[in-house]
Amino acid sequence: MVETAAQLRIGIDLGGTKTEVILLSGANGELFRTRIPTVRDDYAATIAAIAGLVADAEAAAGIGNLPVGVGIPGTVSRKSGLVKNANSTWINGKPLQQDLSHHLQRDVKVTNDANCLAVSEATDGAGKGYDLVFAGILGTGCGAGLAWRGQPLVGPNGVAGEWGHNPLPWTSPTELQARPCYCGKTGCQETFLSGTGLCLTYQRLTGEKLTGHEIVARAADGNSAAIKTLDDYFDALARGLAAVINVLDPDVIVLGGGASNIAQIYSTVPTLLPRYVFGGECDTPIVQAVHGDSSGVRGAAWLNPL
């Protein structure tokens, strides 16, 4: 492999079920990728597993001491340097960035996995060429990240982009109270806008549990309950994104996660946004992530820009 160290970046995506590594070249794109089952409930083993994947990528490159970025399902507190808010609970309260930097003998960048999505799509995806990219994840949960000119915006509290854990705007108190969230509050956008929330809307309407794919398929077949579920979902998504636009007015909104594959989002939601955006005008592009579930690991690599 004929590459220089200046061209190469290693990204790690620490997920709930898998940990993935990628070797990216600014000149030639993806050069190496592999994944292993995530080591759960063992912090020391997690450090060792990440170090092993870095070693695998460097062996593939034939070059050592490459820049490393890591995406995690949480954030690093600027006050303490410790991980907080991680679904992978065994890394909470741990100095992950410091320990990885010490173990690998280099400065390792660590940020939230949704920020990695934003960085990936801003670098060479659907947000390329835009200054401020808001990247929302509509998956099992609902989160978001921000990138300004290709770099993540984290904020002094480490929670910039925590879109899913705000109440859905312009929603009745009764409906908000009917949607408890694992975070301890009720009516979080995650309970409406995630794929899980979509299924809950259908279940509340019909009493029947279906997957998101099944709901979309039934709507395509003309099922009235499924059509109403999607209509309600698109309206809720428009309200949630309008609040983002009212505060940040991003140049582009990029959507990832399983529910982002619902094609009607991109034709319907833009027509609904002017109802909720202050001033009644909105031309913000809403586009699907180009790199799909690869954006997390790619964005981790691009935390170290060329």
Side-chain angles (χ1 to χ4, degrees):
M1 181 181 299
V2 181
E3 298 284 346
T4 68
Q7 293 175 305
L8 300 178
R9 301 288 181 273
I10 293 173
I12 300 283
D13 181 20
L14 178 63
T17 59
K18 55 85 179 171
T19 303
E20 188 170 11
V21 64
I22 196 169
L23 175 68
L24 286 183
S25 163
N28 299 308
E30 179 182 327
L31 302 177
F32 172 80
R33 183 204 298 248
T34 192
R35 62 175 58 179
I36 60 173
T38 292
V39 179
R40 298 187 61 83
D41 303 316
D42 189 330
Y43 180 69
T46 297
I47 297 289
I50 291 173
L53 290 173
V54 170
D56 291 342
E58 290 183 333
I63 303 173
N65 202 37
L66 294 175
V68 176
V70 181
I72 63 171
T75 191
V76 176
S77 168
R78 288 192 179 182
K79 291 183 178 180
S80 67
L82 306 179
V83 174
K84 64 179 182 178
N85 300 338
N87 292 334
S88 301
T89 54
W90 65 95
I91 65 173
N92 281 330
K94 303 294 187 181
L96 180 67
Q97 186 164 5
Q98 178 182 324
D99 287 344
L100 284 174
S101 296
H102 176 75
H103 195 94
L104 294 172
Q105 293 296 294
R106 72 198 79 172
D107 179 32
V108 176
K109 295 189 180 343
V110 178
T111 194
N112 180 262
D113 50 10
N115 291 334
C116 291
L117 167 66
V119 169
S120 172
E121 293 297 323
T123 301
D124 61 355
K128 184 178 181 180
Y130 293 97
D131 284 338
L132 181 57
V133 176
F134 178 87
I137 299 176
L138 309 175
T140 303
C142 173
L146 295 162
W148 169 255
R149 296 183 177 174
Q151 289 299 293
L153 290 178
V154 178
N157 299 302
V159 294
E162 283 292 353
W163 176 53
H165 292 284
N166 296 283
L168 184 69
W170 304 291
T171 303
S172 72
T174 300
E175 182 64 12
L176 292 175
Q177 289 296 320
R179 304 247 181 172
C181 183
Y182 78 89
C183 74
K185 297 181 172 61
T186 58
C188 288
Q189 291 182 122
E190 177 161 308
T191 66
F192 292 88
L193 303 183
S194 64
T196 308
L198 170 68
C199 296
L200 178 59
T201 298
Y202 185 83
Q203 184 182 352
R204 283 171 51 80
L205 187 63
T206 66
E208 185 179 7
K209 290 184 179 181
L210 291 182
T211 67
H213 290 293
E214 290 169 334
I215 294 168
V216 172
R218 286 198 181 185
D221 288 338
N223 179 277
S224 59
I227 291 171
K228 177 169 174 47
T229 296
L230 288 183
D231 286 344
D232 289 350
Y233 181 80
F234 298 146
D235 186 72
L237 182 56
R239 282 180 274 150
L241 292 177
V244 172
I245 295 166
N246 285 344
V247 174
L248 293 174
D249 207 3
D251 295 299
V252 64
I253 292 171
V254 181
L255 299 179
S260 73
N261 293 315
I262 301 174
Q264 283 176 269
I265 286 174
Y266 307 99
S267 58
T268 302
V269 173
T271 67
L272 300 175
L273 283 173
R275 298 183 187 178
Y276 303 111
V277 172
F278 185 62
E281 298 177 345
C282 184
D283 296 318
T284 307
I286 301 177
V287 295
Q288 189 172 9
V290 167
H291 298 299
D293 63 3
S294 298
S295 267
V297 73
R298 291 175 64 90
W302 293 131
L303 294 176
N304 290 284
L306 289 171

